């Protein structure tokens, strides 16, 4: 697949359906995650982003949970958002789509006033997130039968020192 892509917040029903289609292809079909685990009822409250090829083909997606919807993933800290459901189609991998989706979610987190983005990375993807500035913490754990680690990154610049 050649050509460029754009990232946008999924606001209309067609974009949301495209996000679900990418997630189904990657998580349900490819990784064999049960649909009732993948579609957890939090999507309506989440901010979702969609990567689309210049020809309109959906390439990837991710979501940001924040506020009360993210409390179980953020320890209840309202300054922390939870990045999740990051998925890039097999045909689009290795083209920078995943990194662009993460950066778009971080931009959205900043606009929402969040200071930190937390995520649960599949263990095989730790290097990808580390290259984007995320740091792992805590022990490895299983989620949907797949090993994961918690990771986080500050997305707001610290306040300037007072002198």
């Amino acid at each position: 697949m050649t050509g460029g892509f754009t990232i946008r917040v999924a606001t209309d029903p067609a974009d949301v359906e495209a996000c679900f289609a990418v997630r189904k292809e990657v998580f349900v079909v490819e990784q064999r995650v049960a649909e009732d685990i993948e579609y957890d009822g939090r999507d309506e409250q989440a901010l979702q982003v969609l990567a689309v090829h210049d020809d309109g083909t959906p390439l990837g997606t991710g979501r940001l949970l924040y506020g009360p919807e993210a409390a179980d993933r953020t320890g209840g800290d309202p300054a922390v958002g939870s990045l999740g459901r990051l998925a890039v189609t097999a045909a689009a991998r290795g083209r920078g789509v995943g990194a662009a989706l993460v950066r778009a979610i971080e931009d959205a987190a900043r606009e929402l006033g969040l200071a930190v983005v937390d995520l649960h990375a599949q263990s095989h993807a730790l290097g990808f997130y580390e290259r984007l500035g995320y740091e792992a913490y805590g022990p490895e754990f299983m989620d949907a039968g797949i090993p994961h680690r918690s990771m986080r990154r500050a997305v707001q610049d610290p306040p300037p020192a007072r002198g």
Side-chain angles (χ1 to χ4, degrees):
M1 185 176 278
T2 60
F5 63 90
T6 57
I7 307 283
R8 63 182 179 242
V9 175
T11 54
D12 67 60
D15 280 355
V16 173
E17 284 304 314
C19 291
F20 288 164
V22 169
R23 286 168 49 188
K24 184 169 187 167
E25 178 182 335
V26 173
F27 295 125
V28 177
V29 175
E30 187 179 323
Q31 296 184 356
R32 303 187 195 292
V33 173
E35 284 193 55
D36 63 329
I37 293 173
E38 176 54 32
Y39 302 108
D40 59 4
R42 296 180 181 205
D43 293 304
E44 285 187 24
Q45 295 80 25
L47 180 140
Q48 297 184 74
V49 294
L50 175 66
V52 181
H53 187 270
D54 290 344
D55 69 4
T57 304
L59 303 176
T61 187
R63 76 176 184 188
L64 176 68
L65 295 173
Y66 57 96
E69 290 302 315
D72 64 322
R73 292 188 172 259
T74 63
D77 187 340
V80 179
S82 178
L83 184 158
R85 303 308 197 260
L86 187 75
V88 176
T89 62
R93 292 181 192 146
R95 298 181 49 221
V97 174
L101 286 163
V102 170
R103 295 304 187 219
I105 289 169
E106 291 171 348
D107 290 344
R110 274 189 287 281
E111 288 177 22
L112 291 165
L114 302 176
V116 173
V117 171
D118 197 271
L119 59 90
H120 293 165
Q122 292 183 8
S123 295
H124 71 84
L126 288 173
F128 166 77
Y129 289 109
E130 287 169 344
R131 287 188 295 278
L132 295 174
Y134 286 79
E135 295 182 11
Y137 67 93
E140 186 173 74
F141 61 93
M142 297 299 283
D143 187 5
I146 300 168
H148 284 71
R149 288 279 308 275
S150 295
M151 301 185 85
R152 65 177 25 200
R153 177 178 188 270
V155 295
Q156 295 283 357
D157 293 328
R162 298 177 104 150

